[in-house]
Amino acid sequence: MPDHKEQAAPPPSTAAVQSAAAAESTGEETTPTPTPNLHRSLRRFDITAMAVAAVISFDTVGQIATGGGEAVTWTAVIAVAFLIPYALLFAETGAAFPQEGGPYVWVKLAFGRLTAAVTTLFYWVTNPIWLGGSLVFIAAQTWDGFVFRLGQGTFADYAFKTVFIWTAILTAVVSLRKGKWITTAGAAAKVLALTVFTATAVAYGMAHGFRGLTGTADNTTAATTFSPTTAGFLALVPVLLFAYVGFEAPNAAGEEMHNPQRDVPTALGRSAAIAAACYLLPVLAILSVVPPGKVTGIGGFMEGAQTIFTIYGGASGALLKTTALLFVFALLTQGSAWMIVSDRMQAMAAADGGFFSRKLGAFHPGLGTPVRTNLLSGVIATVFMVAAMRLADGDAAAVFSVVLTVAVTTLLLSYLTVIPALAVLRLRHRDVPRPYQVPFGTKGFMICATLAYAWILTGSWTALFPGTLEALLGITYDFHGTWGVSRTAFEAFTLGTVVALLLIGTIGHAVAGAANDRARVRR
């Protein structure tokens, strides 16, 4: 029968699963409460579109392409060796535990509320950091270069970035029934832009030669080499992992899905395949037309578009501006998609008594969205944008790279807890129905978990301490030349963010715990 005719039994609520398993898994007292004001509005297509909107990152396409030809090789290798086992893990877990809050619920059931609260904080805060840093900077750079001159560090620059951030936040505030169409439009815009870009690059190469791949006729530039190197791997692995993770994000709205047990595995498989193609093909297209060494992370996609769109003659200017507008819209909806899902995770942590006040976890009775957490994300994104503007005196390229790395670091660190939690749930809760299972059962699940964890551990270290593994392996590493800032400034920004989050998460849990104790005494 067609999808829209099927009626699915609702999954058990977050409270039901927590109350059933909390004593066994953590030994801590829980006071389960229902999740109010939620409306079932997500079907298989919506889940797929939301995952595509969130995961395919225009900002990382350019950053990956800076790795040259071997970036294509490593993109393909990690798609096979990481993305497949990662997708299998979350397809099974997402269908078996489809409660609102997704990864927060999984980590709590496995390791307790404190670990879940801190993990969720890292997962959630990645997104206002990313929105206020990487996404808004690449959007402003694109608008400035192709639509309307903003300048750098000017009033117009600040105004554009502020409007961009709060538009993304407000699209997360509206009800999911409406907001899902915004993210769906963003997913469509993203896939359309990447498809047109790739097709145009092929046409350009056929007309002018694939100079980025073969070198120029006068030998002024060498051909791109696809041979993998250790140095290239260490430079690319954090951003490639960052590009591929996040397919579990729609599970944060698990109780707003019509049939998560059936739809999550299929939607995740489809979106993962789309994402792999939407990274591999555009990166190859950029490298085919932009000479090696000329690609920049912040402008990679649009730099390539500027070159290849010349085949359209007099229409190239208008088409380039249209592409730039499409590009900015896709970036905006990408931020919106992550705000929609990650804010729900953080709201569930607060509503469960794991982060400062339960009031932060309230869902608006009419909109069905965690408005207070949404607004908090907007404030954090705005503050981070201003702080990032101050870093490197407004050098957009340097800010972009460093802030993207902060977002990469915080997100990857959260998976160091989430992936073991999946393994614990697989072993401890064998009685939970699993509509989809990883091939070869528990053994296959554990192999996938081990592979995914090893990749995440490597990516987390290289993101947090770049250049250290290179030094151990005797590879020359120019820190300032790579990042545009000193190691001291870099580590102050990245390590400082990590330490601050650990403190905030621990304090937030303690404050919430004290409030829970007072509430129990009053009862």
Side-chain angles (χ1 to χ4, degrees), residues 403-424:
V403 173
L404 178 59
T405 300
V406 172
V408 168
T409 302
T410 54
L411 185 60
L412 293 185
L413 287 175
S414 71
Y415 286 96
L416 292 178
T417 307
V418 173
I419 291 175
L422 306 188
V424 169

Side-chain angles (χ1 to χ4, degrees), residues 96-135:
F97 296 89
Q99 289 72 40
E100 193 78 7
Y104 171 76
V105 175
W106 306 338
V107 177
K108 182 187 174 184
L109 292 179
F111 302 126
R113 184 183 284 134
L114 173 59
T115 303
V118 174
T119 298
T120 300
L121 179 62
F122 272 79
Y123 192 103
W124 164 66
V125 85
T126 293
N127 299 293
I129 288 175
W130 188 34
L131 175 62
S134 174
L135 290 182

Side-chain angles (χ1 to χ4, degrees), residues 262-430:
R262 180 203 62 184
D263 293 340
V264 166
T266 302
L268 194 150
R270 289 176 180 175
S271 56
I274 293 170
C278 285
Y279 281 122
L280 190 59
L281 297 178
V283 168
L284 183 59
I286 290 172
L287 294 173
S288 73
V289 296
V290 180
K294 301 289 186 180
V295 180
T296 66
I298 192 169
F301 181 86
M302 290 306 300
E303 287 167 354
Q306 192 169 22
T307 299
I308 64 177
F309 274 37
T310 56
I311 68 169
Y312 296 120
S316 62
L319 287 173
L320 193 61
K321 181 173 288 190
T322 301
T323 301
L325 291 170
L326 201 64
F327 185 76
V328 172
F329 175 71
L331 291 171
L332 178 67
T333 55
Q334 186 173 324
S336 299
W338 274 107
M339 290 299 103
I340 288 172
V341 294
S342 66
D343 284 355
R344 278 167 166 74
M345 279 181 58
Q346 187 61 28
M348 290 306 301
D352 190 48
F355 188 72
F356 287 106
S357 171
R358 292 182 187 270
K359 292 180 180 179
L360 282 173
F363 281 69
H364 190 278
L367 299 173
T369 54
V371 175
R372 290 169 180 161
T373 304
N374 293 146
L375 297 179
L376 180 59
S377 290
V379 171
I380 293 173
T382 304
V383 170
F384 210 87
M385 179 269 290
V386 174
M389 290 286 287
R390 300 290 182 179
L391 181 69
D393 297 323
D395 182 344
V399 170
F400 171 80
S401 296
V402 175
V403 173
L404 178 59
T405 300
V406 172
V408 168
T409 302
T410 54
L411 185 60
L412 293 185
L413 287 175
S414 71
Y415 286 96
L416 292 178
T417 307
V418 173
I419 291 175
L422 306 188
V424 169
L425 294 182
R426 188 64 168 82
L427 296 173
R428 188 179 289 164
H429 298 291
R430 296 174 185 267

Side-chain angles (χ1 to χ4, degrees), residues 82 91 132 140 152 212 345 397 404 490:
F82 170 76
Q152 199 165 167
M345 279 181 58
L404 178 59
F490 179 93

